[in-house]
Amino acid sequence: MAKELKDLTKSEENYSQWYNDLVVKAGLAENSAVRGCMVIKPYGYAIWEKMQAILDRMFKQTGHENAYFPLFIPKSFFSKEAHHVEGFAKECAVVTHYRLKNDPEGKGVVVDPDARLEEELIVRPTSETIIWNTYKNWIHSYRDLPILCNQWANVVRWEMRTRLFLRTAEFLWQEGHTAHETREEAIAEATKMINVYKEFAERYMALPVIVGHKSPNERFAGAEDTLTIEALMQDGKALQSGTSHFLGQNFAKAFDVQFTNKEGKLEYVWATSWGVSTRLMGALIMAHSDNNGLVLPPALAPIQAVLVPIYKGEEQMKTIVAKLDAIAAELRARGLSVKVDARDNVRSGFKFAEYELKGVPVRLALGPRDLENGTIELMRRDTLEKEVVPQEGLIDRVAALMDEIQQGIFDKARSFRDSMITPVDTWEEFVRTLDTKGGFVAAHWDGTVETEVAIKEATKATIRCIPLDAVDEEGACIYSGKPSHQRVLFARSY
Amino acid sequence: MAKELKDLTKSEENYSQWYNDLVVKAGLAENSAVRGCMVIKPYGYAIWEKMQAILDRMFKQTGHENAYFPLFIPKSFFSKEAHHVEGFAKECAVVTHYRLKNDPEGKGVVVDPDARLEEELIVRPTSETIIWNTYKNWIHSYRDLPILCNQWANVVRWEMRTRLFLRTAEFLWQEGHTAHETREEAIAEATKMINVYKEFAERYMALPVIVGHKSPNERFAGAEDTLTIEALMQDGKALQSGTSHFLGQNFAKAFDVQFTNKEGKLEYVWATSWGVSTRLMGALIMAHSDNNGLVLPPALAPIQAVLVPIYKGEEQMKTIVAKLDAIAAELRARGLSVKVDARDNVRSGFKFAEYELKGVPVRLALGPRDLENGTIELMRRDTLEKEVVPQEGLIDRVAALMDEIQQGIFDKARSFRDSMITPVDTWEEFVRTLDTKGGFVAAHWDGTVETEVAIKEATKATIRCIPLDAVDEEGACIYSGKPSHQRVLFARSY
């Protein structure tokens, strides 16, 4: 592990390689034998489970229920909503057969040509079509509304260039799909859920995000409006971390889902969908970690405090480990997730490096001198600050430290992010800021897709969002010079 | 709902139709537009979530961690373990392409022939092959063992005749995959996990099960031994509810997974796998329910007690609902999951029928007379017993009733099951018991596959298991007359 840590690429040398090294060496995930599909390893999955549990609770608190819809979508469903098929048909896994048979030439198994499906099935890249086809049978009257369903599932998008967690052919996510009586209610739902995501990102992931509307060009395929939370990574690139879509009546019309409203008239149902995925793992890792490894906010750390004995000889070990076990029991009684690492086949220096790599928020180390003095060494992972503290009052101190670290990680990320929002008023400044500093560039835009596309082609920067809290301000588009009345946020992004 | 309940087929008239009606009408699941794939509706999914949460806790308490492996398995992986490919190749969904394109004839989208995969991918029917291909990189020395991983996932087996929950093309499950240093350790793990399943089934599902070995003919494809828990449904058919496999070194050899043992020698790793699925939902429903609807054990009921107001006029309603809200708050403070149904657009009789259909364990109804007398009407779903009880002491009474009902449902199922294990000694008795009574038939068997197959062809009964607690007893095979020294359990099954 000490060796592995030494091999961790420095982030300033190659950020992208640093990220990949970190994901693999910290035991979060790895590439599999299947192109673009990852294996999420136990330590990575434990973080994802914590995210899931918190999000699931937040969804239920806002009135949503979980359900499960089929993995497969009949090909014909895709053609029913024009923008949707445009958006997803070019990168989807297609099931064409339902049987293998022994190779007549004796080489393993081959696809049985006699077992061809009448209609091909698409492995879901998202579930609007199959869900709205189902909702058709659930919705007849306004009394059947709203429907507030969420699904935890795997989805597949055949990405050509993949990166662990950030962009994989298969990924895990949740997708909420709601059905409403009125446009206003659906818009309110989409807004409510993007705010749930914002609260989750900031409070639990310690990740400050900007909430805004996507530009029409960046909207979800089939949406009338897409709300997004945008985070900033330490290399100055933005990362879209969650989206919530107001789908209008597009899917209701595509699947003919009508209801009798309170006035007794038939009307199409209004829809939203919203999702976050294992991509959040990438955001969490890139936003906080350093050259020593992961930095995990305590709210999501599988191990919040690790206790390491320092000793010579078996006798001393027993005494010290017994003391650490007692401290660990008290910490657990305070609701903390704690590990005592009493392995005797690796040195303590190796253990220290390992838990730094794994981002454990607090490390406690107890040696013979501490035993005499009633002290213990305490290190916090986020600042790498180390101090020797009295054992008395330790439990309160560690418990309080969890909140302090959580807040500290958030504050650091927010200061950085805030320092990386640069208002610019000229094209030259715009390009220079992107090239030398990165981050979000707040600039005027004339509101046209043509300008947006031209800027992307010239700089690789896209409009990350039109912030919800953007203030009215007259100005001129940095690209076309045409009038604009609010700044939008551009950035290069993941 | 009253009408829907009336439409519920009587179980004695058509058990199979009764089951399907119940699943659909109670809002548990329904068939989807995709052949053989179901939609699990919110009420059904809420039960599954409870099962998941309990099982997940039990797995973690026994030292397992969750991870996630790819949905897709390269076709060639299947050929590596001969029995495995035999077992699964004939019923699997095959992905052959990764893109659709617009139909040149303008009719929606078609598969793009230029986007054919070099090697076809199988949608996992089970994950031994992809996981052991991954473990190869994780395991080098005995220090890397054991690996104790579990995965919650969807799997696909292209079943031709499907039934909601019991047999669907896609289903949800968990699959544990463990790797060990020794044969003994792997066997102990497989045994431990079948006992976890037994405890789960009996304690939470109130479902008595028999633990035993599968006969060689009924083993998992690739296993050296399969342990099973077998439950009995109310129509006298058996249902395999969970299995745990000792895989020997078969997958380690197929994927060349060797480790350096403590003596410094290379050795193949020993394996187990074990799983339960949404099929458990079918077992839960069929084991306990009646012609009024579901009967749910309190440990798995999404709503444990429902409170229904009986009133005339708005004034009375307000007073009574306020009282019920107060009672509900107290019940929730005791950890119970409780609902007050104050809907004013349906009559209380309709509500009663609805919650009976949905299997809510306890119903409380409060009317004007109760308000005067300080009483409340209490009904338990399992026995349909109704009594008027004092409001005083109600919270304790309802809390205690949960345990009583849980135990009552289990005892009833166990008495029935026990009454349906029939020892027989002749072929004639064997056939007659199967035809007139059903259930488990305890009979001598000569231990050969030929006899097992012949019995199945003659009677549709299979060996459900060779019980772990079978006693030594000399006898003659009911079919061949050859010597046998223990009875095995035969039954017709789902």
Side-chain angles (χ1 to χ4, degrees):
Chain A
M1 188 58 67
K3 181 182 167 298
E4 284 185 14
L5 179 56
K6 213 178 55 190
D7 293 347
L8 187 62
T9 305
K10 299 258 176 293
S11 64
E12 58 276 20
E13 280 167 14
N14 184 338
Y15 192 82
S16 164
Q17 190 59 46
W18 164 81
Y19 171 76
N20 200 69
D21 279 7
L22 192 48
V23 170
V24 172
K25 287 174 198 288
L28 301 175
E30 64 186 36
N31 286 310
S32 77
V34 184
R35 206 199 60 79
C37 293
M38 65 181 160
V39 172
I40 307 180
K41 298 181 75 173
Y43 193 63
Y45 202 84
I47 301 171
W48 175 241
E49 274 182 318
K50 290 212 155 199
M51 290 187 175
Q52 279 190 301
I54 296 165
L55 282 165
D56 197 69
R57 195 184 67 219
M58 293 173 88
F59 298 157
K60 284 174 178 157
Q61 281 167 349
T62 44
H64 302 88
E65 298 179 301
N66 288 328
Y68 188 78
F69 297 88
L71 171 67
F72 298 129
I73 299 179
K75 193 193 67 181
S76 59
F77 283 25
F78 266 87
S79 315
K80 295 199 177 183
E81 212 289 330
H83 293 97
H84 198 70
V85 68
E86 269 292 304
F88 291 104
K90 283 170 197 151
E91 47 174 36
C92 61
V94 189
V95 177
T96 55
H97 292 75
Y98 59 85
R99 193 165 59 219
L100 299 175
K101 64 170 191 175
N102 289 325
D103 182 0
E105 291 169 33
K107 292 179 208 146
V109 280
V110 294
V111 174
D112 184 343
D114 294 337
R116 197 181 163 91
L117 292 170
E118 271 183 50
E119 179 177 4
E120 295 89 349
L121 297 173
I122 312 306
V123 181
R124 65 181 161 219
T126 180
S127 302
E128 278 76 7
T129 55
I130 187 82
I131 288 180
W132 278 87
N133 184 70
T134 306
Y135 281 179
K136 183 176 168 57
N137 301 317
W138 294 6
I139 301 170
H140 304 288
S141 135
Y142 71 92
R143 289 186 193 280
D144 301 320
L145 297 172
I147 292 178
L148 304 172
C149 275
N150 175 61
Q151 155 167 284
W152 289 97
N154 53 345
V155 285
V156 172
R157 298 178 187 177
W158 207 264
E159 304 278 358
M160 279 303 161
R161 277 188 291 178
T162 61
R163 300 188 62 186
L164 292 166
F165 290 125
L166 295 172
R167 197 174 289 279
T168 47
E170 182 193 15
F171 55 92
L172 303 184
W173 79 344
Q174 60 67 218
E175 45 182 323
H177 294 274
T178 69
H180 305 268
E181 273 185 77
T182 64
R183 161 184 280 271
E184 292 68 34
E185 195 184 298
I187 290 175
E189 166 78 8
T191 308
K192 180 197 282 177
M193 298 321 289
I194 202 70
N195 284 319
V196 164
Y197 290 155
K198 177 185 165 72
E199 192 194 337
F200 173 75
E202 301 200 332
R203 188 159 158 201
Y204 299 97
M205 296 176 66
L207 185 71
V209 294
I210 295 169
V211 182
H213 298 276
K214 282 287 178 192
S215 59
N217 199 42
E218 297 277 331
R219 262 179 213 148
F220 174 76
E224 286 198 15
D225 185 22
T226 288
L227 291 160
T228 179
I229 51 170
E230 298 284 327
L232 195 69
M233 302 297 101
Q234 292 177 85
D235 64 345
K237 280 195 189 169
L239 193 148
Q240 174 180 309
S241 305
T243 48
S244 181
H245 315 293
F246 167 58
L247 302 173
Q249 294 173 315
N250 292 342
F251 287 91
K253 285 178 179 164
F255 289 89
D256 192 27
V257 189
Q258 290 181 281
F259 72 105
T260 311
N261 67 16
K262 284 178 184 133
E263 287 75 45
K265 284 185 191 151
L266 269 184
E267 198 180 335
Y268 285 107
V269 180
W270 299 86
T272 83
S273 67
W274 29 273
V276 293
S277 73
T278 35
R279 190 160 215 238
L280 287 180
M281 293 287 295
L284 182 74
I285 296 159
M286 283 206 294
H288 306 310
S289 304
D290 61 26
N291 285 334
N292 292 329
L294 286 178
V295 173
L296 292 177
L300 297 176
I303 306 167
Q304 296 174 305
V306 65
L307 288 74
V308 178
I310 317 282
Y311 57 88
K312 274 185 190 144
E314 201 170 333
E315 197 58 35
Q316 214 176 55
M317 185 193 82
K318 276 186 189 164
T319 319
I320 289 177
V321 168
K323 181 69 195 169
L324 288 180
D325 282 340
I327 294 172
E330 284 188 77
L331 289 169
R332 286 193 190 107
R334 282 291 277 272
L336 295 179
S337 165
V338 171
K339 178 177 173 175
V340 177
D341 185 347
R343 279 178 298 171
D344 63 357
N345 61 328
V346 293
R347 289 175 308 106
S348 52
F350 178 95
K351 293 180 188 176
F352 288 0
E354 179 173 350
Y355 296 111
E356 280 175 31
L357 180 58
K358 293 200 162 225
V360 175
V362 168
R363 184 184 79 211
L364 297 166
L366 188 79
R369 194 172 303 170
D370 293 311
L371 212 54
E372 267 173 40
N373 300 345
T375 56
I376 192 163
E377 188 190 88
L378 185 158
M379 196 197 77
R380 52 188 280 187
R381 175 63 186 89
D382 61 332
T383 58
L384 296 172
E385 282 164 1
K386 214 156 59 175
E387 56 177 330
V388 174
V389 303
Q391 286 171 25
E392 203 180 321
L394 180 69
I395 308 304
D396 287 340
R397 190 173 186 131
V398 172
L401 198 50
M402 291 299 156
D403 295 335
E404 237 175 87
I405 293 173
Q406 184 80 28
Q407 189 65 44
I409 295 175
F410 178 73
D411 289 345
K412 188 181 167 199
R414 191 173 48 186
S415 299
F416 173 71
R417 195 274 314 269
D418 289 350
S419 75
M420 294 290 277
I421 303 176
T422 312
V424 309
D425 291 309
T426 67
W427 178 249
E428 193 208 335
E429 239 187 313
F430 182 82
V431 173
R432 195 178 57 232
T433 305
L434 285 171
D435 285 345
T436 59
K437 182 181 178 187
F440 292 113
V441 184
H444 282 282
W445 162 58
D446 64 18
T448 69
V449 173
E450 296 70 39
T451 298
E452 191 179 358
V453 170
I455 292 175
K456 184 177 179 180
E457 278 173 10
T459 64
K460 288 186 185 154
T462 50
I463 298 175
R464 301 318 303 159
C465 71
I466 303 152
L468 284 193
D469 58 5
V471 291
D472 288 349
E473 183 196 293
E474 296 307 312
C477 173
I478 39 135
Y479 187 79
S480 68
K482 287 182 193 159
S484 147
H485 47 269
Q486 63 180 8
R487 290 177 189 270
V488 301
L489 293 182
F490 286 87
R492 290 180 183 144
S493 71
Y494 281 94
Chain B
M1 186 60 62
K3 180 183 167 298
E4 283 184 15
L5 179 57
K6 211 178 57 191
D7 293 346
L8 186 64
T9 305
K10 300 256 175 295
S11 64
E12 59 276 20
E13 282 166 14
N14 184 338
Y15 193 82
S16 166
Q17 189 60 45
W18 164 81
Y19 171 77
N20 199 69
D21 280 6
L22 193 46
V23 171
V24 172
K25 287 174 198 290
L28 300 175
E30 63 185 35
N31 286 309
S32 76
V34 184
R35 208 198 60 78
C37 293
M38 67 181 157
V39 172
I40 307 180
K41 297 181 75 173
Y43 193 63
Y45 201 84
I47 300 171
W48 175 242
E49 274 182 317
K50 291 212 157 203
M51 290 187 175
Q52 279 190 300
I54 296 164
L55 283 165
D56 197 69
R57 193 184 68 220
M58 294 174 88
F59 298 157
K60 283 173 180 159
Q61 281 167 350
T62 45
H64 302 86
E65 298 178 300
N66 288 328
Y68 189 76
F69 297 88
L71 171 67
F72 298 129
I73 298 179
K75 193 193 68 181
S76 58
F77 283 24
F78 266 87
S79 314
K80 295 198 178 183
E81 212 289 333
H83 293 97
H84 198 70
V85 67
E86 269 292 304
F88 290 104
K90 283 169 196 149
E91 47 174 37
C92 62
V94 188
V95 177
T96 55
H97 292 74
Y98 58 85
R99 194 164 59 220
L100 300 176
K101 63 170 191 176
N102 289 326
D103 182 357
E105 291 170 33
K107 289 178 209 147
V109 281
V110 294
V111 174
D112 185 343
D114 294 338
R116 198 181 163 92
L117 291 171
E118 271 182 49
E119 179 178 4
E120 295 89 349
L121 296 172
I122 312 306
V123 181
R124 65 181 160 218
T126 179
S127 301
E128 279 76 9
T129 56
I130 187 82
I131 288 181
W132 278 87
N133 184 69
T134 306
Y135 282 179
K136 183 177 169 56
N137 301 317
W138 295 5
I139 300 170
H140 305 287
S141 135
Y142 70 91
R143 289 186 193 276
D144 302 320
L145 297 170
I147 291 178
L148 304 172
C149 275
N150 176 61
Q151 154 168 288
W152 290 97
N154 53 345
V155 285
V156 171
R157 299 178 186 178
W158 208 263
E159 304 279 358
M160 280 303 162
R161 275 189 292 179
T162 61
R163 297 187 63 187
L164 292 167
F165 289 124
L166 294 172
R167 197 174 290 280
T168 48
E170 182 192 14
F171 55 92
L172 303 184
W173 79 344
Q174 61 68 218
E175 44 182 326
H177 294 273
T178 69
H180 304 270
E181 275 185 75
T182 64
R183 162 184 280 271
E184 293 68 32
E185 195 185 299
I187 291 174
E189 166 78 10
T191 309
K192 180 197 281 178
M193 297 321 290
I194 202 69
N195 283 321
V196 164
Y197 291 154
K198 177 185 164 72
E199 192 194 336
F200 173 75
E202 300 198 333
R203 186 157 159 204
Y204 299 97
M205 295 176 65
L207 185 70
V209 294
I210 295 168
V211 182
H213 298 275
K214 282 288 177 191
S215 59
N217 198 42
E218 297 277 333
R219 262 180 213 147
F220 175 75
E224 286 199 15
D225 185 22
T226 288
L227 291 161
T228 178
I229 52 170
E230 298 284 327
L232 195 68
M233 303 298 101
Q234 293 177 83
D235 63 346
K237 279 196 190 167
L239 191 145
Q240 173 181 308
S241 305
T243 48
S244 180
H245 316 293
F246 168 59
L247 302 173
Q249 296 173 313
N250 292 343
F251 287 91
K253 284 179 181 163
F255 290 89
D256 192 28
V257 189
Q258 290 181 283
F259 71 105
T260 313
N261 68 18
K262 285 178 185 133
E263 287 76 44
K265 284 185 193 153
L266 269 183
E267 199 180 334
Y268 286 107
V269 180
W270 299 87
T272 83
S273 66
W274 29 274
V276 294
S277 73
T278 35
R279 190 162 216 239
L280 287 180
M281 292 286 297
L284 183 74
I285 297 159
M286 284 206 297
H288 307 310
S289 302
D290 62 26
N291 285 335
N292 292 328
L294 288 177
V295 173
L296 293 177
L300 297 177
I303 306 166
Q304 296 174 306
V306 64
L307 289 74
V308 179
I310 316 282
Y311 58 88
K312 274 187 189 142
E314 200 169 335
E315 197 57 34
Q316 213 175 56
M317 184 193 81
K318 278 185 188 164
T319 319
I320 289 177
V321 169
K323 181 71 194 165
L324 288 180
D325 282 339
I327 294 171
E330 284 188 77
L331 289 169
R332 286 192 190 106
R334 282 290 278 271
L336 295 179
S337 165
V338 171
K339 178 177 172 176
V340 177
D341 186 347
R343 279 179 297 172
D344 63 357
N345 63 327
V346 292
R347 287 174 310 104
S348 52
F350 178 95
K351 293 180 189 175
F352 289 0
E354 179 173 351
Y355 296 110
E356 280 175 32
L357 180 57
K358 293 200 162 225
V360 175
V362 167
R363 184 185 78 212
L364 297 166
L366 188 80
R369 194 173 301 169
D370 293 309
L371 212 53
E372 266 173 41
N373 300 347
T375 55
I376 193 163
E377 187 190 87
L378 184 157
M379 196 198 77
R380 52 188 279 187
R381 174 64 186 89
D382 60 330
T383 58
L384 296 171
E385 282 164 2
K386 212 157 59 176
E387 55 177 329
V388 174
V389 302
Q391 287 171 25
E392 203 180 320
L394 180 69
I395 309 303
D396 287 340
R397 188 171 188 135
V398 172
L401 198 49
M402 291 300 155
D403 295 334
E404 235 175 90
I405 293 173
Q406 183 79 28
Q407 189 64 45
I409 295 175
F410 177 74
D411 289 345
K412 187 180 168 201
R414 191 172 50 186
S415 300
F416 173 70
R417 195 273 317 268
D418 288 349
S419 76
M420 294 290 277
I421 303 177
T422 313
V424 309
D425 292 309
T426 66
W427 177 248
E428 193 207 334
E429 238 187 314
F430 182 82
V431 174
R432 195 178 58 232
T433 305
L434 285 171
D435 286 345
T436 59
K437 181 180 178 187
F440 292 112
V441 184
H444 281 281
W445 162 59
D446 64 19
T448 68
V449 174
E450 297 70 41
T451 298
E452 190 180 359
V453 170
I455 292 175
K456 183 177 179 181
E457 277 173 10
T459 65
K460 289 186 184 155
T462 49
I463 298 176
R464 301 317 304 159
C465 71
I466 304 153
L468 284 194
D469 60 2
V471 291
D472 287 350
E473 184 196 292
E474 295 307 313
C477 173
I478 39 135
Y479 187 81
S480 68
K482 287 182 194 158
S484 146
H485 47 270
Q486 64 180 6
R487 289 177 189 268
V488 302
L489 293 181
F490 286 87
R492 291 180 183 146
S493 71
Y494 282 94

